[in-house]
Amino acid sequence: MSEPATALTGCLAPIDKAGLEDLIAKGKADPKAVKTLKCKTVAEGRFRHANYIRDLQPYIVDEPPGLLGDDTAPNPSEASLAALGSCIAVGLHANAIHRGITIESLELELEGDLNITAVWGTGDVTEKPVGFTDVRVKVNMKADCPQDEIDALIEHVCQWSPVFNTFKRPVNMVATAV
């Protein structure tokens, strides 16, 4: 019996299993490969920005009224939580397929604490942590395996999630005028 072309995952749309296996093989063949991702951010007015990524429609980021924005989209910190949640969810989905686990449902709830009194460096600029100081991720995953396997899967995915690790460790950053 041949393997199915796609792997069904309960409530989630199927993933091309052969495509996943191909990605796994490519990663193992060239473990030092680095891909540079790009985003062009264009200010549209007030605190609303259009972010251009690949050939996709612009991804809008704004601020809520309490931070003087128009409340048309997530603010930058909320967008970073969304990126974190999505990265973990993608990892859970891919690793479940790879391990032969069928996901029945998958939801992540993320919360992050940050002090906003510096108001982007224009307010209280006394010494304090800037950015998230604590982030909590709650994974509600139902699958055709015991809870201890789900727990191990979550731990494994967080170990290898690019966005989780970006949050977890320092990153070399450079900002220059052009």
Side-chain angles (χ1 to χ4, degrees):
M1 175 184 254
S2 65
E3 285 199 32
T6 59
L8 300 178
T9 56
C11 70
L12 304 178
I15 293 175
D16 176 2
K17 186 156 177 59
L20 177 61
E21 296 301 325
D22 186 47
L23 285 173
I24 292 167
K26 285 179 183 174
K28 288 180 177 180
D30 188 5
K32 294 188 183 214
V34 173
K35 181 173 177 74
T36 299
L37 304 180
K38 297 180 181 184
C39 174
K40 179 180 179 181
T41 301
V42 179
E44 291 189 337
R46 297 204 354 151
F47 288 135
R48 182 182 160 96
H49 300 89
N51 295 278
Y52 296 88
I53 301 165
R54 298 191 314 265
D55 294 327
L56 301 172
Q57 290 294 314
Y59 176 71
I60 305 301
V61 175
D62 196 357
E63 291 285 357
L67 293 174
L68 309 178
D70 294 321
D71 208 19
T72 62
N75 72 21
S77 297
E78 292 164 332
S80 68
L81 287 177
L84 175 60
S86 293
C87 191
I88 294 170
V90 165
L92 290 169
H93 194 178
N95 277 274
I97 295 297
H98 185 63
R99 295 178 184 198
I101 297 170
T102 300
I103 297 173
E104 297 166 18
S105 65
L106 177 60
E107 292 183 8
L108 287 77
E109 294 180 35
L110 293 92
E111 298 177 336
D113 302 330
L114 68 160
N115 182 318
I116 62 170
T117 61
V119 193
W120 311 290
T122 63
D124 175 19
V125 292
T126 57
E127 186 66 30
K128 66 177 76 88
V130 177
F132 288 115
T133 55
D134 295 276
V135 174
R136 294 168 296 284
V137 181
K138 295 178 184 174
V139 178
N140 183 2
M141 181 174 161
K142 293 185 181 23
D144 67 347
C145 65
Q147 185 63 45
D148 64 328
E149 283 186 49
I150 292 173
D151 295 341
L153 183 65
I154 293 167
E155 183 178 336
H156 175 78
V157 166
C158 289
Q159 178 183 357
W160 294 102
S161 162
V163 180
F164 190 95
N165 280 278
T166 298
F167 268 75
K168 189 170 99 171
R169 62 173 171 68
V171 176
N172 300 319
M173 301 283 295
V174 176
T176 58
V178 292

